[in-house]
Amino acid sequence: MTATTPQPRGDVPGRIMAREMAEQPAVLRRILADGAPAIRQVAHEIAARKPRFVLLAARGTSDNAALYAKYLLEIRLGLPCGLTSMSTTTAYGARPDLTDVLVLTVSQSGGSPDLVASTRAAREAGAVTLAVTNNPDSPLAAVSEYHIDILAGPEKALPATKTYTASLLALYLFVEGLRGGDGTAAEVLPDLAGQLLARQDEIRALAARYRFAERMVITSRGYGYPTAKEAALKLMETSYIPALSYSGADLVHGPLAMVDNVSPVIAVVTDGKGGEALQPVLDRLRGRGADLVVIGPAAQVERASAGFVLPTEGVAEEVQPVLEIIPLQLLAYEVTIARGQDPDAPRALAKVTETH
């Protein structure tokens, strides 16, 4: 581990999560160099089958990656998408007609029984099934017609970090393959990810500011919304701080009433149309005197109570989520350490969650 990567200090917990966060630039490079050709081939074969719409299935962190894929598929391809309710199949036994439907299942382990069962049922119902996992030998990969390996390597810390960004990049390359794109917008990501990881001291200062927070609200719009949801999940599962994530549009439809000048609001401001759509929400938050933290372009951070500047110049909006989540992973890590807890092993959680 180099001096520019996240470092656990002394004999504190969190070594595994720190190491895996630090691996992200190398994982992104590996996907671009070694994984892209296979992803492109899968995309080519599925595109030839002309799916009429897409259903996405996932749990936890992978659910946030699937939501990112939904934005990509609907914006970049104009392909209708939905997030599946797996219990309709696994608990209620529903068997919809899925002829010419792409069922895309995202799972780090590929081992959750409900994901495996719903994918098997989807294939029996006529769907084209694709699994995106970190385990090509998993039960999910076995029951799916197609598989994409995200090539993240073993992930041992309970909070998923490198498998999340790897899933985002793999899904981006898959969607680009469906539309006949070359995916070159992603080439900047490994180096920029390394630069973000090198700025851990900035995040440590934010963590000191918010270590005693009793609640956090995280908001965004567009491509940044999955980042807001994933950041909330990371904070809750590591530091146990209740973190509520909302689309900016949903935030002003009621939850805005709970915002005050005590509980911080983290806004993920994507540089692009999503960030533009979030501006009225940011104005409302400032008007309420919110302790507003912005993760985004410098011009947005300057107007907030605190924040972290993202390198967005020349970075396509659709790939910015791969970068947006990194300082928020670091924030979850640093807040947890500051609160005297171990981010490697959150209480009551297992690495593979076996839902049915």
Side-chain angles (χ1 to χ4, degrees):
M1 190 181 296
T2 70
T4 60
T5 56
Q7 300 271 350
R9 299 172 302 288
D11 191 25
V12 298
R15 294 189 217 33
I16 302 173
M17 184 178 177
R19 183 179 68 242
E20 290 172 353
M21 287 190 293
E23 291 174 9
Q24 289 177 105
V27 171
L28 297 175
R29 288 190 185 93
R30 186 184 309 137
I31 296 169
L32 290 170
D34 302 332
I39 294 172
R40 193 177 302 115
Q41 180 60 35
V42 168
H44 176 77
E45 293 182 22
I46 291 177
R49 297 174 68 169
K50 301 186 185 312
R52 53 193 172 98
F53 62 89
V54 181
L55 289 175
L56 298 130
R59 296 288 192 197
T61 284
S62 293
D63 200 33
N64 300 326
L67 180 59
Y68 168 71
K70 183 176 187 293
Y71 277 91
L72 285 172
L73 288 159
E74 291 182 342
I75 295 170
R76 306 285 284 172
L77 273 74
L79 197 57
C81 300
L83 298 175
T84 61
S85 300
M86 282 172 282
S87 63
T88 60
T89 298
T90 60
Y92 291 92
R95 291 295 182 265
D97 180 4
L98 297 179
T99 305
D100 298 328
V101 174
L102 171 61
V103 173
L104 196 167
T105 307
V106 186
S107 172
Q108 299 150 43
S109 68
S112 184
D114 58 349
L115 292 171
V116 175
S118 63
T119 300
R120 182 187 294 111
R123 190 169 181 180
E124 292 170 353
V128 179
T129 53
L130 166 63
V132 177
T133 81
N134 196 37
N135 183 2
D137 298 319
S138 64
L140 180 60
V143 301
S144 300
E145 185 176 357
Y146 297 98
H147 177 257
I148 289 175
D149 186 352
I150 64 172
L151 301 175
E155 187 174 61
K156 297 181 179 180
L158 284 175
T161 55
K162 64 177 182 175
T163 54
Y164 180 69
T165 50
S167 295
L168 296 189
L169 178 54
L171 288 163
Y172 167 75
L173 293 174
F174 170 67
V175 174
E176 282 299 286
L178 287 178
R179 63 189 295 269
D182 56 15
T184 54
E187 292 176 357
V188 300
L189 297 177
D191 287 344
L192 292 178
Q195 293 173 26
L196 293 175
L197 290 163
R199 295 165 58 193
Q200 189 173 7
D201 286 348
E202 295 178 49
I203 296 297
R204 196 168 298 143
L206 277 180
R209 178 183 176 115
Y210 298 116
R211 62 179 292 191
F212 297 115
E214 296 183 359
R215 181 187 69 206
M216 290 187 181
V217 174
I218 308 176
T219 189
S220 189
R221 290 204 69 181
Y223 286 115
Y225 180 42
T227 306
K229 291 176 67 66
E230 174 62 11
L233 177 59
K234 284 291 153 287
L235 283 162
M236 287 189 288
E237 69 182 353
T238 57
S239 69
Y240 318 139
I241 296 174
L244 308 174
S245 60
Y246 296 99
S247 159
D250 288 329
L251 182 63
V252 297
H253 278 269
L256 185 67
M258 70 178 173
V259 172
D260 53 30
N261 61 357
V262 177
S263 300
V265 178
I266 300 175
V268 181
V269 184
T270 304
D271 192 2
K273 292 181 179 179
E276 293 170 8
L278 191 63
Q279 289 310 306
V281 181
L282 299 179
D283 292 339
R284 294 279 297 275
L285 289 167
R286 282 188 286 262
R288 289 188 59 82
D291 184 1
L292 180 61
V293 184
V294 167
I295 309 297
Q300 297 292 339
V301 173
E302 290 169 0
R303 300 182 61 201
S305 306
F308 185 93
V309 176
L310 289 175
T312 58
E313 184 176 355
V315 181
E317 181 179 3
E318 60 268 19
V319 299
Q320 289 178 35
V322 179
L323 304 176
E324 290 167 349
I325 192 58
I326 291 175
L328 292 162
Q329 292 172 345
L330 290 169
L331 181 64
Y333 170 87
E334 291 290 348
V335 167
T336 305
I337 294 294
R339 290 163 69 99
Q341 294 151 197
D342 184 359
D344 285 344
R347 64 194 182 203
L349 297 180
K351 187 63 179 173
V352 180
T353 303
E354 295 193 354
T355 46
H356 295 270

